Amino acid sequence: MQIIVSGLIFGFVYGLAALGLVLIYKTTDIVNFAQGEMAMVTTFMSFVLLSQLGMPYFVAFALALLFAALFGMIIYHVFMKRVQTSPPLNQMVLTLGLFLVINGIAGLIWGYHPRSYPEAFAGDPFQIGSVFITFNELFMVGLTFILMLVFYLIFRYTRIGLAMRASSQDMVAAELMGIKVSHVFMSAWAIGAVLGGVAGIMTAPFIFLNTTMMMDILIMAFAGAVIGGFISLPGAVVGGLIVGVYENLVSYYIAPELKMVYTFILIIVILYVRPQGILGGPKFVKKV
Amino acid sequence: MLKLTDIHSYYGHVHALRGVSIELKKGSIVSLLGANGAGKSTTLKVISRLINPKQGVYEYQQGSMLRTSPGDVVKKGIIHCPEGRRVFPLLSVEENLRIGAYQVKDRDQIKQGMERAFHYFPRLKERMHQKAGTLSGGEQQMLAIGRALMGQPKVLLLDEPSLGIAPLLVKEIFNIIQSINREGITILLVEQNARKALEISDYAYVLENGEVALEGESEALRDNDRVRQLYLGG
Ligand SMILES: Nc1ncnc2c1ncn2[C@@H]1O[C@H](COP(=O)(O)OP(=O)(O)OP(=O)(O)O)[C@@H](O)[C@H]1O
Ligand SMILES: [Mg+2]
């Protein structure tokens, strides 16, 4: 039971990171391999604000997310906008390149030694039934859950949400409706970067802050996204939860070092049985 | 009210429009005819500012439009209903109509627009919550026109509204185009179905290889030998 609950807690974080990936892919058709590194930079920014400038936790948190949004917009505006209509391979190479460049620059600025990162709430675990949980973990789950809910409501019921869904289905037709598609795509990048940033800040206390911290999480988020179908937003969340629980089960019953290997085995098995992912449908034809 | 003068437009090296000049008089229906690849859709894309012509003048209500963004073209009441319908397949019929009113801020106007769309196409009301991708071709065409009406057009650009649609429905759609025009909306109609288009329009242009080969009152063109031979099947 404890293992499943702990797995779910991380699952929420993976789900959030996967949501960011899927949002960007679904809206702009680009697979963002730099997602994890963007989140890493956001986490470092929050660390600078928190530890070096001595800001209170939530002020630093909010400012770091603001930074993440801007960072996402800049990446879109400077790099992605130009390759928006290029072949997918070019787009992939570009985001992979950004992954490496961002990682390298972060290493130059912040060095390579790991640092400890504080939790939002300190405190010993308390017991609910047979499960131990900390206040910080409750906060993590609560926050990611609220973010997912807010995100869902925006996507489903607001004007900008409708514009996002329309632009993702047919850019040209969306333009003819008077939608500024480039603005919509820019917001998708901003939101995607914020979701990733939250995932980074939430996991940093558990794994030490360093420039490679997001690699594992990115892979887990990709696993969650792929399992969920990669174009389904609820699928990303469900996929993230599955990966979180599964990873914890593998660590406990088999071996922690093998969790990556087993995660890939899970992806392979699921895609073998259901090639479109659990909640993915056939991808509609996109006209240019 | 809307005028293109000597428009040249390229796709890469393809010289798609070679000096097209057309004019829409307020309240009229104008047909734009021509064979496949003549440049009809390209002309509409120039008007909705999806593509920027290399050369030429584009005026609307006395102002130049060559620096206007596609979004502002919509705001000014020029609505382009594209070739192949292009409804948003994963949005419901209702959401498709709502997105057509993206630039309309007034809620009452959106509501009235919705009613107008349902007045012309009652079928859409029955299918309100269905995903647009699951509609039949004819229903999708109705939705595409309904969606364009939601944008409160002053000028409506229709690109082959009868394409791939059963004859009975074609007749209905042409009737509806006339009713929309009677509301005071100026219409530029691109059609393969030259006979029908010439029946309902006031004026017509025939494009050949990116140039206006012929123009005139629709009635006169119907009797023109060349038009009869090439576009009306003898
Ligand atoms: N996106 C594009 N890239 C390159 N060439 C294009 C593109 N779109 C159109 N063309 C070319 O421009 C010319 C005019 O095309 P346009 O679509 O305006 O024709 P049309 O009159 O609408 O034809 P149809 O009746 O088949 O719809 C054609 O020769 C076409 O091949
Ligand atoms: Mg065409």
Side-chain angles (χ1 to χ4, degrees):
Chain A
M1 192 62 195
Q2 178 73 44
I3 301 163
I4 294 181
V5 172
S6 305
L8 281 177
I9 292 168
F10 271 95
F12 269 104
V13 174
Y14 298 152
L16 198 66
L19 199 57
L21 278 174
V22 171
L23 172 71
I24 290 176
Y25 177 68
K26 193 180 160 82
T27 319
T28 73
D29 247 357
I30 288 177
V31 180
N32 181 22
F33 288 105
Q35 182 85 351
E37 301 316 285
M38 290 165 65
M40 178 269 290
V41 172
T42 301
T43 311
F44 263 103
M45 285 307 283
S46 72
F47 183 77
V48 169
L49 297 172
L50 198 60
S51 302
Q52 293 173 0
L53 300 181
M55 290 185 181
Y57 185 89
F58 286 100
V59 177
F61 186 64
L63 285 178
L65 295 188
L66 195 66
F67 166 81
L70 280 175
F71 193 30
M73 289 186 196
I74 291 169
I75 293 276
Y76 169 74
H77 200 76
V78 177
F79 299 102
M80 296 305 153
K81 204 174 175 177
R82 289 168 195 282
V83 296
Q84 194 60 58
T85 51
S86 308
L89 194 60
N90 298 19
Q91 300 170 343
M92 251 181 243
V93 169
L94 181 57
T95 62
L96 272 173
L98 282 173
F99 167 99
L100 294 172
V101 169
I102 294 173
N103 190 272
I105 293 177
L108 287 179
I109 298 177
W110 289 301
Y112 296 95
H113 57 282
R115 305 160 211 232
S116 65
Y117 188 97
E119 297 186 325
F121 295 98
D124 291 330
F126 52 90
Q127 197 171 1
I128 307 174
S130 63
V131 177
F132 286 90
I133 193 163
T134 65
F135 197 61
N136 190 56
E137 288 168 337
L138 276 184
F139 167 70
M140 271 168 72
V141 172
L143 179 72
T144 41
F145 186 75
I146 288 171
L147 277 177
M148 287 169 185
L149 191 69
V150 166
F151 174 76
Y152 172 77
L153 294 176
I154 290 178
F155 206 63
R156 198 85 195 80
Y157 296 109
T158 66
R159 186 164 170 269
I160 175 77
L162 188 59
M164 274 190 181
R165 286 184 287 148
S167 306
S168 74
Q169 291 169 39
D170 190 330
M171 271 168 71
V172 176
E175 200 81 57
L176 289 179
M177 304 296 114
I179 298 170
K180 278 216 168 23
V181 174
S182 61
H183 289 189
V184 169
F185 284 5
M186 195 150 79
S187 358
W189 277 85
I191 296 174
V194 167
L195 295 178
V198 173
I201 294 174
M202 291 295 106
T203 30
F206 298 89
I207 55 172
F208 290 110
L209 178 67
N210 68 66
T211 52
T212 56
M213 62 176 275
M214 290 306 284
M215 304 271 181
D216 287 4
I217 297 170
L218 182 70
I219 291 174
M220 293 300 174
F222 260 100
V226 168
I227 289 171
F230 228 101
I231 55 162
S232 160
L233 298 167
V237 175
V238 173
L241 290 174
I242 291 175
V243 170
V245 172
Y246 175 82
E247 170 206 47
N248 233 22
L249 289 173
V250 170
S251 297
Y252 187 78
Y253 288 109
I254 304 173
E257 314 83 73
L258 289 180
K259 66 183 189 192
M260 273 308 155
V261 177
Y262 275 85
T263 302
F264 278 103
I265 293 177
L266 177 70
I267 296 179
I268 292 168
V269 170
I270 288 192
L271 291 186
Y272 189 78
V273 180
R274 247 186 100 75
Q276 70 275 50
I278 292 176
L279 289 180
K283 180 126 175 71
F284 42 83
V285 186
K286 208 170 272 197
K287 304 166 201 155
V288 180
Chain B
M1 119 184 265
L2 188 154
K3 197 170 168 193
L4 299 181
T5 315
D6 194 30
I7 292 282
H8 287 261
S9 183
Y10 293 79
Y11 293 102
H13 292 292
V14 181
H15 196 169
L17 299 183
R18 306 160 180 262
V20 168
S21 303
I22 65 173
E23 184 175 2
L24 305 187
K25 293 232 157 59
K26 194 169 178 198
S28 62
I29 301 184
V30 174
S31 304
L32 191 55
L33 311 174
N36 292 118
K40 307 180 295 294
S41 300
T42 307
T43 306
L44 296 198
K45 286 185 214 162
V46 167
I47 297 176
S48 54
R49 298 285 297 134
L50 282 182
I51 54 180
N52 203 19
K54 191 140 221 162
Q55 186 190 321
V57 181
Y58 169 14
E59 292 164 299
Y60 175 61
Q61 294 174 334
Q62 270 87 50
S64 170
M65 295 287 282
L66 287 176
R67 290 179 167 270
T68 312
S69 71
D72 288 336
V73 171
V74 172
K75 244 187 233 161
K76 286 177 194 270
I78 301 175
I79 312 285
H80 180 171
C81 183
E83 187 169 9
R85 327 186 232 281
R86 299 188 87 149
V87 295
F88 299 106
L90 300 180
L91 299 186
S92 69
V93 167
E94 188 189 356
E95 286 171 328
N96 265 281
L97 292 174
R98 267 186 201 292
I99 202 87
Y102 186 75
Q103 288 284 11
V104 181
K105 298 277 144 57
D106 182 355
R107 275 163 185 265
D108 287 338
Q109 274 185 11
I110 296 177
K111 218 170 147 212
Q112 282 164 17
M114 209 63 114
E115 268 151 32
R116 173 160 73 168
F118 292 147
H119 162 73
Y120 283 124
F121 306 108
R123 187 86 68 90
L124 293 181
K125 192 165 188 175
E126 296 162 25
R127 308 273 146 120
M128 198 134 111
H129 301 295
Q130 195 171 323
K131 291 243 189 306
T134 64
L135 297 176
S136 77
E139 288 163 350
Q140 289 189 14
Q141 186 61 60
M142 297 179 195
L143 180 55
I145 298 176
R147 183 181 66 176
L149 286 176
M150 293 295 294
Q152 310 274 343
K154 295 194 180 80
V155 177
L156 185 57
L157 315 173
L158 294 170
D159 199 340
E160 307 209 23
S162 73
L163 192 73
I165 286 175
L168 210 63
L169 187 56
V170 171
K171 207 167 154 196
E172 194 184 323
I173 283 185
F174 274 88
N175 283 338
I176 288 172
I177 293 172
Q178 281 182 297
S179 314
I180 293 172
N181 175 248
R182 278 196 290 273
E183 285 185 42
I185 298 173
T186 307
I187 292 178
L188 180 57
L189 175 64
V190 166
E191 259 303 331
Q192 296 279 351
N193 191 335
R195 188 183 305 274
K196 280 264 181 228
L198 289 175
E199 261 170 42
I200 69 163
S201 59
D202 305 298
Y203 201 84
Y205 294 87
V206 178
L207 284 186
E208 276 171 21
N209 296 321
E211 282 174 290
V212 176
L214 265 174
E215 65 176 283
E217 308 276 333
S218 300
E219 218 163 319
L221 284 193
R222 261 191 311 217
D223 300 327
N224 180 297
D225 284 341
R226 182 129 172 257
V227 174
R228 290 174 82 115
Q229 247 180 19
L230 287 174
Y231 302 103
L232 299 176

